[in-house]
Amino acid sequence: MTQEEKSQAKWHTEYLKQQRKYFEYADTTQYLLEQKKEDDLLLLQDSFVEWITKLKKDDIRKKDLTLLLQSIWRIQSYCGTLETVCKSSVVRVVELNKTIERIESEKRILKLEIIQMKSKHESEKNSLGKEIEFLTKNS
């Protein structure tokens, strides 16, 4: 392994460590936000249920409070959908980044192979040139 390859490998390892730290932070943040959202929505729901049950059947506010409770449930469902979309997007980004890294690695390998082929062809060209020169001098 050349010094350049070692340097690239070291850089890549450091990059992966930084990415892992970022994802650990993002995972923790996401979990805390989701938990806070759930806690807040449950608190709202409990309050609305309590208020609704305390009202008399013919109280006009009962219908409005029930509609607000249903709105909270819709918001909770909407948030869940957004969370699912975000999580699947993150998975897609990670997969694409891995694909990009794999392709870039293959590209580097191919560039090294091209350099080796050029060097080999240049060496063969020089060898053939010397052979032609030798043959023309000795003919």
Side-chain angles (χ1 to χ4, degrees), residues 19-32:
Q19 289 299 100
R20 186 65 230 149
K21 284 181 186 177
Y22 171 77
F23 277 111
E24 286 172 2
Y25 172 79
D27 287 345
T28 303
T29 303
Q30 182 177 348
Y31 171 77
L32 291 173

Side-chain angles (χ1 to χ4, degrees), residues 29-121:
T29 303
Q30 182 177 348
Y31 171 77
L32 291 173
L33 289 172
E34 288 174 3
Q35 193 59 50
K36 179 67 175 146
K37 176 215 40 133
E38 287 298 321
D39 292 347
D40 290 347
L41 289 175
L42 283 173
L43 180 66
L44 276 171
Q45 290 175 45
D46 289 346
S47 296
F48 273 92
V49 167
E50 182 182 330
W51 297 333
I52 290 169
T53 55
K54 284 184 178 180
L55 292 174
K56 293 181 180 178
K57 221 174 193 176
D58 58 345
D59 194 324
I60 57 172
R61 296 175 296 172
K62 193 168 193 160
K63 182 179 179 183
D64 292 336
L65 289 175
T66 302
L67 288 174
L68 287 171
L69 178 60
Q70 290 172 342
S71 296
I72 292 170
W73 292 335
R74 283 192 300 276
I75 288 169
Q76 188 171 23
S77 173
Y78 177 72
C79 288
T81 302
L82 286 176
E83 290 162 2
T84 301
V85 168
C86 288
K87 287 176 185 177
S88 64
S89 296
V90 167
V91 168
R92 183 75 176 130
V93 166
V94 169
E95 288 173 353
L96 289 173
N97 281 340
K98 286 180 181 179
T99 301
I100 289 169
E101 289 173 9
R102 181 185 50 79
I103 291 171
E104 285 177 347
S105 176
E106 289 174 7
K107 180 182 169 185
R108 284 190 298 274
I109 290 170
L110 290 172
K111 281 183 176 180
L112 289 173
E113 287 176 3
I114 288 171
I115 290 169
Q116 287 175 340
M117 290 169 122
K118 285 181 178 178
S119 177
K120 180 182 173 187
H121 291 317

Side-chain angles (χ1 to χ4, degrees), residues 6-19:
K6 288 179 184 178
S7 176
Q8 286 178 349
K10 183 178 178 183
W11 176 85
H12 189 67
T13 303
E14 289 301 316
Y15 174 76
L16 290 176
K17 286 179 185 177
Q18 288 176 337
Q19 289 299 100

